[in-house]
């Protein structure tokens, strides 16, 4: 069994990396996310579960370093028949607020938060993979993307500082609607920013 999700690093005292896996040796021989000090970062991951359906993590950095880890689960894989098949496509941009594609304007702060509707083009069954990018952000913050969100949200799709264009892989779900568009999805963030989404593939249920 494996899970998909978004791993976020925050409050790190020194630069280093984190490795996730079903079982790990120290020092880890691979990394899941690398980061400098004092820079919240996130990475989209798929990781196998170990004993008791757990995931282990190791923070590799100079002695005395500390960090916080946040993991938002977005899906899972199970062995056996059924489930869904993945179909890759040539990447296509479905949202770009800089040009008004999918959303007519940048996401703006409203009362210390922003609740915006982002129209993302749908795949065949509402489950899609892609790349979410933030650009031109006025302050550091994060973006959360989901079929439904309330504030304050407890998840994030991407974290970013100011003046640093960032991208992260994203897996998500939503409902199919007419005219090949997703239903309006609510995006919540803590700063004004442009949002870009490039669709790279979709899942179709296996009969």
């Amino acid at each position: 069994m494996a899970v998909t999700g978004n791993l976020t690093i925050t409050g790190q005292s020194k630069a280093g990396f984190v490795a996730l896996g079903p079982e790990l040796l120290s020092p880890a021989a691979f990394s899941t996310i690398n980061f400098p000090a004092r820079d919240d970062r996130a990475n989209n991951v798929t990781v196998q579960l170990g004993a008791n359906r757990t995931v282990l993590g190791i923070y590799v950095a100079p002695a005395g370093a500390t960090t916080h880890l946040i993991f938002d689960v977005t899906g899972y894989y199970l062995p056996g028949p059924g489930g869904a098949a993945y179909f890759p496509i040539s990447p296509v941009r479905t949202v770009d607020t800089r040009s008004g594609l999918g959303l007519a304007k940048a996401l703006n702060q409203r009362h210390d938060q922003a609740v915006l509707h982002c129209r993302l083009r749908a795949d065949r069954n509402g489950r899609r993979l892609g790349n979410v990018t933030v650009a031109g952000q006025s302050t550091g913050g994060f973006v959360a993307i989901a079929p439904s969100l309330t504030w304050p949200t407890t998840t994030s799709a991407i974290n970013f500082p100011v003046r640093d264009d960032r991208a992260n892989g994203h897996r998500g779900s939503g409902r199919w609607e007419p005219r090949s568009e997703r239903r309006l999805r609510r995006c919540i963030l803590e700063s004004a920013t442009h949002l870009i989404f490039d669709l790279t593939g979709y899942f179709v249920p296996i009969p």
Side-chain angles (χ1 to χ4, degrees), residues 20-80:
L20 292 185
E23 54 185 41
L24 295 169
L25 299 176
S26 183
F30 66 94
S31 66
T32 304
I33 185 170
N34 297 68
F35 45 85
R38 297 180 296 279
D39 186 345
D40 294 353
R41 294 208 173 181
N43 192 24
N44 185 257
V45 301
T46 300
V47 59
Q48 179 183 353
L49 296 183
N52 299 318
R53 297 186 175 181
T54 58
V55 173
L56 302 180
I58 291 179
Y59 172 38
V60 180
T66 60
T67 188
H68 290 288
L69 302 182
I70 303 168
F71 189 70
D72 302 323
V73 177
T74 59
Y76 58 90
Y77 294 96
L78 292 174

Side-chain angles (χ1 to χ4, degrees), residues 14 47 64 93 103-104 132 134 149 158 167 188:
K14 295 182 180 180
V47 59
R93 184 151 294 177
L103 187 64
V132 59
V134 293
L149 287 171
I158 185 169
I188 298 178

Side-chain angles (χ1 to χ4, degrees), residues 86-140:
Y86 174 65
F87 291 84
I89 64 171
S90 296
V92 57
R93 184 151 294 177
T94 59
V95 171
D96 189 340
T97 60
R98 298 171 301 177
S99 63
L101 175 64
L103 187 64
K105 59 182 180 179
L107 307 183
N108 296 310
Q109 187 174 13
R110 296 181 183 178
H111 307 296
D112 299 324
Q113 66 192 51
V115 180
L116 285 305
H117 292 295
C118 303
R119 189 179 296 274
L120 303 182
R121 296 190 184 279
D123 52 63
R124 292 185 182 179
N125 75 331
R127 296 185 180 277
R128 51 90 183 80
L129 273 72
N131 196 62
V132 59
T133 303
V134 293
Q137 60 270 35
S138 61
T139 65

